[in-house]
Protein backbone atom coordinates (compact mmCIF):
# COMPACT_ATOMS: atom_id res chain seq x y z
CA UNK A 1 0.00 0.00 0.00
CA UNK A 2 1.48 3.31 -1.03
CA UNK A 3 -0.14 6.69 -0.43
CA UNK A 4 1.29 10.15 -0.94
CA UNK A 5 -0.16 13.55 -0.19
CA UNK A 6 1.35 17.00 -0.65
CA UNK A 7 0.53 20.45 0.68
CA UNK A 8 2.02 23.86 -0.02
CA UNK A 9 1.29 27.11 1.76
CA UNK A 10 2.21 30.22 -0.18
CA UNK A 11 4.04 33.28 1.03
CA UNK A 12 2.05 35.22 3.60
CA UNK A 13 1.45 38.74 2.34
CA UNK A 14 2.45 41.72 4.51
CA UNK A 15 -0.07 44.38 5.38
CA UNK A 16 0.15 48.16 5.10
CA UNK A 17 -1.84 50.99 6.65
CA UNK A 18 -1.21 54.48 5.30
CA UNK A 19 -1.92 57.33 7.70
CA UNK A 20 -5.39 55.89 8.36
CA UNK A 21 -6.57 57.39 5.09
CA UNK A 22 -6.36 54.33 2.88
CA UNK A 23 -7.72 51.85 5.39
CA UNK A 24 -6.35 48.57 6.58
CA UNK A 25 -5.89 46.03 3.80
CA UNK A 26 -5.00 42.40 4.23
CA UNK A 27 -4.27 40.18 1.25
CA UNK A 28 -4.47 36.48 1.94
CA UNK A 29 -3.09 33.93 -0.48
CA UNK A 30 -4.86 30.61 -0.29
CA UNK A 31 -2.80 27.42 -0.32
CA UNK A 32 -2.62 25.61 -3.59
CA UNK A 33 -4.88 22.59 -3.96
CA UNK A 34 -3.89 19.71 -1.76
CA UNK A 35 -3.66 16.56 -3.84
CA UNK A 36 -3.83 13.04 -2.46
CA UNK A 37 -2.33 10.71 -5.04
CA UNK A 38 -2.69 6.93 -4.99
CA UNK A 39 0.16 5.04 -6.56
CA UNK A 40 -0.28 2.62 -9.39
CA UNK A 41 0.27 -0.26 -6.95
CA UNK A 42 -3.17 0.39 -5.41
CA UNK A 43 -5.35 1.51 -8.34
CA UNK A 44 -8.59 0.53 -6.62
CA UNK A 45 -7.97 2.20 -3.28
CA UNK A 46 -10.24 5.10 -2.24
CA UNK A 47 -8.99 8.53 -1.21
CA UNK A 48 -9.09 9.56 2.44
CA UNK A 49 -10.46 13.01 3.24
CA UNK A 50 -8.07 15.79 4.23
CA UNK A 51 -9.81 16.33 7.58
CA UNK A 52 -10.19 12.72 8.65
CA UNK A 53 -11.00 12.32 12.32
CA UNK A 54 -8.24 11.02 14.58
CA UNK A 55 -9.20 7.50 15.64
CA UNK A 56 -7.64 4.89 17.91
CA UNK A 57 -5.40 2.50 16.01
CA UNK A 58 -7.65 -0.46 16.65
CA UNK A 59 -10.61 1.29 15.04
CA UNK A 60 -9.24 1.03 11.50
CA UNK A 61 -7.16 -2.09 11.04
CA UNK A 62 -5.79 -5.05 12.92
CA UNK A 63 -3.13 -4.13 15.46
CA UNK A 64 0.27 -3.33 13.94
CA UNK A 65 3.07 -2.74 16.45
CA UNK A 66 4.63 0.70 16.75
CA UNK A 67 8.37 0.16 16.50
CA UNK A 68 9.60 3.76 16.90
CA UNK A 69 10.75 6.65 14.79
CA UNK A 70 13.06 5.44 12.03
CA UNK A 71 16.01 7.84 12.21
CA UNK A 72 17.91 5.98 9.50
CA UNK A 73 14.98 6.35 7.09
CA UNK A 74 14.70 10.05 7.95
CA UNK A 75 18.36 10.62 7.11
CA UNK A 76 18.09 8.59 3.90
CA UNK A 77 15.06 10.62 2.78
CA UNK A 78 17.04 13.81 3.40
CA UNK A 79 19.99 12.48 1.39
CA UNK A 80 17.73 11.43 -1.48
CA UNK A 81 15.93 14.78 -1.45
CA UNK A 82 19.20 16.68 -1.63
CA UNK A 83 20.49 14.44 -4.42
CA UNK A 84 17.38 15.21 -6.46
CA UNK A 85 17.67 18.91 -5.64
CA UNK A 86 21.29 18.96 -6.77
CA UNK A 87 20.31 17.46 -10.12
CA UNK A 88 17.62 20.14 -10.46
CA UNK A 89 20.00 22.95 -9.52
CA UNK A 90 18.26 23.69 -6.20
CA UNK A 91 20.24 24.33 -3.01
CA UNK A 92 20.49 21.63 -0.39
CA UNK A 93 18.03 21.45 2.49
CA UNK A 94 19.24 21.61 6.09
CA UNK A 95 17.56 19.40 8.67
CA UNK A 96 16.01 21.46 11.48
CA UNK A 97 15.43 19.78 14.83
CA UNK A 98 12.28 21.80 15.52
CA UNK A 99 10.70 21.02 12.18
CA UNK A 100 11.59 17.35 12.69
CA UNK A 101 9.81 17.40 16.05
CA UNK A 102 6.70 18.72 14.31
CA UNK A 103 7.00 16.13 11.53
CA UNK A 104 7.38 13.26 14.01
CA UNK A 105 4.35 14.33 16.02
CA UNK A 106 2.28 14.38 12.83
CA UNK A 107 3.70 11.05 11.65
CA UNK A 108 2.69 9.57 15.00
CA UNK A 109 -0.83 11.00 14.53
CA UNK A 110 -1.06 9.37 11.10
CA UNK A 111 0.08 6.05 12.57
CA UNK A 112 -2.57 6.24 15.30
CA UNK A 113 -5.27 7.08 12.72
CA UNK A 114 -3.97 4.45 10.27
CA UNK A 115 -4.29 6.96 7.42
CA UNK A 116 -2.46 9.92 5.99
CA UNK A 117 -3.71 13.50 6.16
CA UNK A 118 -2.35 17.02 6.45
CA UNK A 119 -4.64 17.92 9.33
CA UNK A 120 -6.76 15.73 11.58
CA UNK A 121 -9.74 16.98 13.54
CA UNK A 122 -8.52 18.97 16.52
CA UNK A 123 -4.98 19.26 15.13
CA UNK A 124 -3.43 22.71 14.49
CA UNK A 125 -2.75 23.84 10.92
CA UNK A 126 0.68 23.30 9.38
CA UNK A 127 1.97 26.86 10.10
CA UNK A 128 0.77 26.58 13.71
CA UNK A 129 2.38 23.15 14.14
CA UNK A 130 5.70 24.42 12.82
CA UNK A 131 5.58 27.64 14.84
CA UNK A 132 5.07 25.65 18.04
CA UNK A 133 8.07 23.44 17.31
CA UNK A 134 10.76 25.81 15.99
CA UNK A 135 12.03 29.32 16.58
CA UNK A 136 12.81 29.74 12.90
CA UNK A 137 11.06 32.62 11.16
CA UNK A 138 9.37 31.11 8.11
CA UNK A 139 7.63 32.87 5.26
CA UNK A 140 6.78 29.72 3.30
CA UNK A 141 5.86 26.20 4.38
CA UNK A 142 5.06 22.97 2.63
CA UNK A 143 4.41 19.38 3.56
CA UNK A 144 4.54 15.95 1.98
CA UNK A 145 3.00 12.92 3.67
CA UNK A 146 3.19 9.34 2.49
CA UNK A 147 2.74 5.69 3.45
CA UNK A 148 5.29 3.38 1.84
CA UNK A 149 7.43 0.31 2.33
CA UNK A 150 10.85 1.96 2.65
CA UNK A 151 12.60 5.30 2.23
CA UNK A 152 13.82 4.63 -1.32
CA UNK A 153 10.35 3.80 -2.62
CA UNK A 154 8.85 6.64 -0.61
CA UNK A 155 11.14 9.14 -2.31
CA UNK A 156 10.56 7.57 -5.71
CA UNK A 157 6.78 7.77 -5.42
CA UNK A 158 6.89 11.34 -4.11
CA UNK A 159 9.04 12.37 -7.07
CA UNK A 160 6.55 10.79 -9.49
CA UNK A 161 3.76 13.05 -8.19
CA UNK A 162 3.84 16.64 -9.47
CA UNK A 163 2.80 18.49 -6.27
CA UNK A 164 5.13 16.44 -4.07
CA UNK A 165 8.02 16.79 -6.50
CA UNK A 166 7.38 20.54 -6.52
CA UNK A 167 7.81 20.64 -2.74
CA UNK A 168 10.96 18.51 -2.86
CA UNK A 169 12.58 20.62 -5.58
CA UNK A 170 11.28 24.07 -4.58
CA UNK A 171 14.44 26.26 -4.66
CA UNK A 172 12.93 28.65 -2.11
CA UNK A 173 12.94 26.05 0.65
CA UNK A 174 16.14 25.85 2.69
CA UNK A 175 15.12 23.84 5.78
CA UNK A 176 13.24 20.60 6.33
CA UNK A 177 11.98 18.40 9.12
CA UNK A 178 11.60 14.63 8.71
CA UNK A 179 9.33 12.33 10.64
CA UNK A 180 9.15 8.61 9.92
CA UNK A 181 7.21 6.12 12.03
CA UNK A 182 7.82 2.45 11.33
CA UNK A 183 4.86 0.14 11.73
CA UNK A 184 5.77 -3.40 10.75
CA UNK A 185 6.79 -3.26 7.09
CA UNK A 186 5.30 0.19 6.52
CA UNK A 187 6.62 3.70 6.99
CA UNK A 188 4.45 6.70 7.78
CA UNK A 189 6.44 9.57 6.27
CA UNK A 190 6.14 13.31 6.92
CA UNK A 191 8.34 15.94 5.27
CA UNK A 192 7.88 19.51 6.54
CA UNK A 193 9.55 22.16 4.37
CA UNK A 194 10.21 25.81 5.08
CA UNK A 195 11.97 28.94 3.92
CA UNK A 196 13.79 30.31 6.95
CA UNK A 197 14.54 34.03 7.04
CA UNK A 198 17.43 35.79 8.79
CA UNK A 199 16.72 36.71 12.41
CA UNK A 200 17.18 40.46 12.84
CA UNK A 201 17.16 42.40 16.09
CA UNK A 202 14.71 45.30 16.39
CA UNK A 203 17.62 47.73 15.95
CA UNK A 204 18.73 45.97 12.75
CA UNK A 205 15.19 46.04 11.38
CA UNK A 206 14.91 49.78 12.01
CA UNK A 207 18.30 50.46 10.44
CA UNK A 208 17.36 48.52 7.31
CA UNK A 209 14.05 50.37 7.01
CA UNK A 210 15.82 53.69 7.51
CA UNK A 211 18.26 52.80 4.74
CA UNK A 212 15.36 52.09 2.40
CA UNK A 213 13.64 55.35 3.31
CA UNK A 214 16.81 57.25 2.35
CA UNK A 215 17.16 55.28 -0.89
CA UNK A 216 13.52 55.97 -1.81
CA UNK A 217 14.02 59.67 -1.21
CA UNK A 218 17.16 59.76 -3.36
CA UNK A 219 15.44 57.90 -6.17
CA UNK A 220 12.64 60.49 -6.10
CA UNK A 221 15.29 63.27 -6.08
CA UNK A 222 14.07 64.54 -2.72
CA UNK A 223 16.29 65.78 0.14
CA UNK A 224 17.33 63.18 2.69
CA UNK A 225 15.35 63.15 5.92
CA UNK A 226 16.87 63.42 9.39
CA UNK A 227 16.18 60.31 11.44
CA UNK A 228 14.87 60.99 14.94
CA UNK A 229 13.36 57.86 16.44
CA UNK A 230 10.53 58.71 18.82
CA UNK A 231 10.67 57.33 22.36
CA UNK A 232 7.19 55.86 21.93
CA UNK A 233 7.73 54.35 18.48
CA UNK A 234 8.70 50.83 19.58
CA UNK A 235 5.87 50.73 22.12
CA UNK A 236 3.40 51.70 19.39
CA UNK A 237 4.74 48.92 17.17
CA UNK A 238 4.43 46.39 19.98
CA UNK A 239 0.88 47.55 20.68
CA UNK A 240 0.00 46.46 17.13
CA UNK A 241 1.64 43.08 17.65
CA UNK A 242 -0.24 42.57 20.91
CA UNK A 243 -3.55 43.46 19.25
CA UNK A 244 -2.65 41.58 16.03
CA UNK A 245 -3.82 44.55 13.96
CA UNK A 246 -2.29 47.67 12.43
CA UNK A 247 -4.53 50.35 13.92
CA UNK A 248 -4.25 50.76 17.72
CA UNK A 249 -4.79 53.62 20.17
CA UNK A 250 -1.04 54.19 20.46
CA UNK A 251 -0.73 54.52 16.69
CA UNK A 252 -3.74 56.86 16.52
CA UNK A 253 -2.08 59.09 19.11
CA UNK A 254 1.06 59.32 16.96
CA UNK A 255 -1.09 60.15 13.94
CA UNK A 256 -2.35 63.29 15.71
CA UNK A 257 1.13 64.77 15.25
CA UNK A 258 2.75 62.87 12.38
CA UNK A 259 1.99 61.22 9.09
CA UNK A 260 2.07 57.58 10.18
CA UNK A 261 2.57 54.46 8.09
CA UNK A 262 2.15 51.11 9.79
CA UNK A 263 2.83 47.76 8.19
CA UNK A 264 3.94 44.22 8.79
CA UNK A 265 7.09 42.97 7.10
CA UNK A 266 9.04 39.79 6.70
CA UNK A 267 11.68 41.57 4.63
CA UNK A 268 12.78 44.85 6.28
CA UNK A 269 15.19 45.49 3.42
CA UNK A 270 12.19 46.29 1.19
CA UNK A 271 9.44 48.83 1.90
CA UNK A 272 5.83 48.22 0.81
CA UNK A 273 5.13 49.66 -2.63
CA UNK A 274 2.22 51.69 -1.29
CA UNK A 275 4.51 53.65 1.02
CA UNK A 276 6.37 55.56 -1.71
CA UNK A 277 3.92 58.44 -2.09
CA UNK A 278 4.00 59.31 1.60
CA UNK A 279 7.76 58.84 2.03
CA UNK A 280 8.68 61.03 -0.95
CA UNK A 281 6.51 63.96 0.14
CA UNK A 282 8.05 67.38 -0.53
CA UNK A 283 7.34 68.99 2.86
CA UNK A 284 9.05 66.42 5.07
CA UNK A 285 12.19 66.93 7.16
CA UNK A 286 12.41 64.10 9.72
CA UNK A 287 11.29 60.51 10.22
CA UNK A 288 11.12 57.92 13.00
CA UNK A 289 11.06 54.11 12.91
CA UNK A 290 9.57 51.81 15.52
CA UNK A 291 9.66 48.03 15.25
CA UNK A 292 8.55 44.98 17.19
CA UNK A 293 8.89 41.28 16.34
CA UNK A 294 6.08 38.98 17.46
CA UNK A 295 4.23 35.78 16.67
CA UNK A 296 0.48 36.19 16.47
CA UNK A 297 -2.56 34.25 15.30
CA UNK A 298 -2.26 35.97 11.91
CA UNK A 299 1.49 35.35 11.72
CA UNK A 300 2.16 32.16 13.71
CA UNK A 301 5.81 31.95 12.62
CA UNK A 302 6.44 35.65 13.31
CA UNK A 303 6.57 39.01 11.58
CA UNK A 304 7.99 42.50 12.17
CA UNK A 305 5.42 45.15 13.09
CA UNK A 306 6.60 48.58 11.93
CA UNK A 307 5.56 52.17 12.69
CA UNK A 308 7.07 54.78 10.35
CA UNK A 309 6.36 58.38 11.39
CA UNK A 310 7.03 61.25 8.98
CA UNK A 311 7.20 64.94 9.81
Amino acid sequence: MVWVCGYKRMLRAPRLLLAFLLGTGAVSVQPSARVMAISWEEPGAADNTQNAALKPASAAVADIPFDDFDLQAEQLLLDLANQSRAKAGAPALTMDAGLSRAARVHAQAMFEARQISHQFDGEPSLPQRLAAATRLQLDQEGENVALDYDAEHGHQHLMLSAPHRANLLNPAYNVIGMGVVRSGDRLYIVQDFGHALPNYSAAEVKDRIATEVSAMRRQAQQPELLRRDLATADDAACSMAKADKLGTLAVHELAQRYTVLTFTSLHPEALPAGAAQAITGVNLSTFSVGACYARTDTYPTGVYWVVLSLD
Side-chain angles (χ1 to χ4, degrees), residues 64-144:
I64 300 175
F66 168 54
D67 294 338
D68 209 341
F69 299 112
D70 193 325
L71 304 185
Q72 184 176 0
E74 291 175 2
Q75 183 61 50
L76 180 54
L77 283 166
L78 174 64
D79 293 341
L80 292 170
N82 280 333
Q83 290 172 19
S84 295
R85 288 173 68 86
K87 293 178 182 177
L93 297 167
T94 299
M95 187 88 87
D96 177 72
L99 297 184
S100 289
R101 282 193 295 272
R104 287 169 184 165
V105 168
H106 189 62
Q108 173 70 16
M110 294 197 308
F111 162 77
E112 292 174 356
R114 292 300 193 271
Q115 56 187 299
I116 65 172
S117 175
H118 288 295
Q119 185 176 10
F120 293 105
D121 285 349
E123 186 182 32
S125 66
L126 175 61
Q128 291 170 330
R129 284 194 275 120
L130 301 189
T134 182
R135 298 310 300 172
L136 293 176
Q137 184 178 358
L138 306 173
D139 65 350
Q140 295 184 56
E141 306 96 5
E143 181 174 80
N144 286 345

Side-chain angles (χ1 to χ4, degrees), residues 239-254:
S239 75
M240 298 191 304
K242 184 176 181 179
D244 200 9
K245 65 179 183 180
L246 295 176
T248 63
L249 178 60
V251 175
H252 277 279
E253 290 174 349
L254 281 177

Side-chain angles (χ1 to χ4, degrees), residues 12-309:
R12 285 179 293 281
R15 295 183 294 171
L16 170 68
L17 176 68
L18 292 179
F20 305 108
L21 298 178
L22 302 184
T24 302
V27 179
S28 61
V29 180
Q30 297 298 323
S32 60
R34 289 179 282 180
V35 180
M36 183 169 288
I38 302 172
S39 81
W40 57 269
E41 294 177 308
E42 289 287 334
D47 289 358
N48 289 317
T49 61
Q50 292 298 320
N51 296 312
L54 187 62
K55 299 188 289 290
S58 59
V61 297
D63 184 53
I64 300 175
F66 168 54
D67 294 338
D68 209 341
F69 299 112
D70 193 325
L71 304 185
Q72 184 176 0
E74 291 175 2
Q75 183 61 50
L76 180 54
L77 283 166
L78 174 64
D79 293 341
L80 292 170
N82 280 333
Q83 290 172 19
S84 295
R85 288 173 68 86
K87 293 178 182 177
L93 297 167
T94 299
M95 187 88 87
D96 177 72
L99 297 184
S100 289
R101 282 193 295 272
R104 287 169 184 165
V105 168
H106 189 62
Q108 173 70 16
M110 294 197 308
F111 162 77
E112 292 174 356
R114 292 300 193 271
Q115 56 187 299
I116 65 172
S117 175
H118 288 295
Q119 185 176 10
F120 293 105
D121 285 349
E123 186 182 32
S125 66
L126 175 61
Q128 291 170 330
R129 284 194 275 120
L130 301 189
T134 182
R135 298 310 300 172
L136 293 176
Q137 184 178 358
L138 306 173
D139 65 350
Q140 295 184 56
E141 306 96 5
E143 181 174 80
N144 286 345
V145 297
L147 175 62
D148 219 312
Y149 297 111
D150 54 47
E152 292 90 342
H153 284 95
H155 178 74
Q156 178 185 355
H157 292 132
L158 288 167
M159 286 293 290
L160 289 173
S161 168
H164 310 96
R165 183 173 62 251
N167 274 340
L168 281 163
L169 303 183
N170 188 337
Y173 292 145
N174 53 14
V175 290
I176 191 173
M178 294 284 189
V180 178
V181 169
R182 178 172 292 281
S183 177
D185 62 350
R186 310 178 204 179
L187 298 181
Y188 289 88
I189 299 169
V190 177
Q191 300 173 324
D192 285 338
F193 304 88
H195 177 242
L197 298 169
N199 289 319
Y200 298 119
S201 67
E204 290 172 326
V205 170
K206 293 193 289 186
D207 287 345
R208 287 174 177 269
I209 291 172
T211 298
E212 291 305 309
V213 169
S214 296
M216 190 173 285
R217 295 280 298 182
R218 286 195 300 272
Q219 186 176 5
Q221 298 182 338
Q222 294 294 334
E224 189 163 352
L225 302 179
L226 179 64
R227 179 181 172 186
R228 291 179 178 172
D229 287 348
L230 301 171
T232 58
D234 288 345
D235 289 341
C238 288
S239 75
M240 298 191 304
K242 184 176 181 179
D244 200 9
K245 65 179 183 180
L246 295 176
T248 63
L249 178 60
V251 175
H252 277 279
E253 290 174 349
L254 281 177
Q256 301 304 310
R257 173 66 178 81
Y258 305 95
T259 298
V260 175
L261 289 74
T262 65
F263 54 93
T264 56
S265 177
L266 291 167
H267 303 276
E269 66 279 2
L271 294 173
Q277 183 176 357
I279 291 173
T280 58
V282 297
N283 296 321
L284 300 176
S285 59
T286 66
F287 76 103
S288 162
V289 185
C292 185
Y293 173 81
R295 294 183 172 202
T296 68
D297 289 342
T298 304
Y299 299 97
T301 56
V303 76
Y304 300 108
W305 297 79
V306 181
V307 175
L308 181 60
S309 304

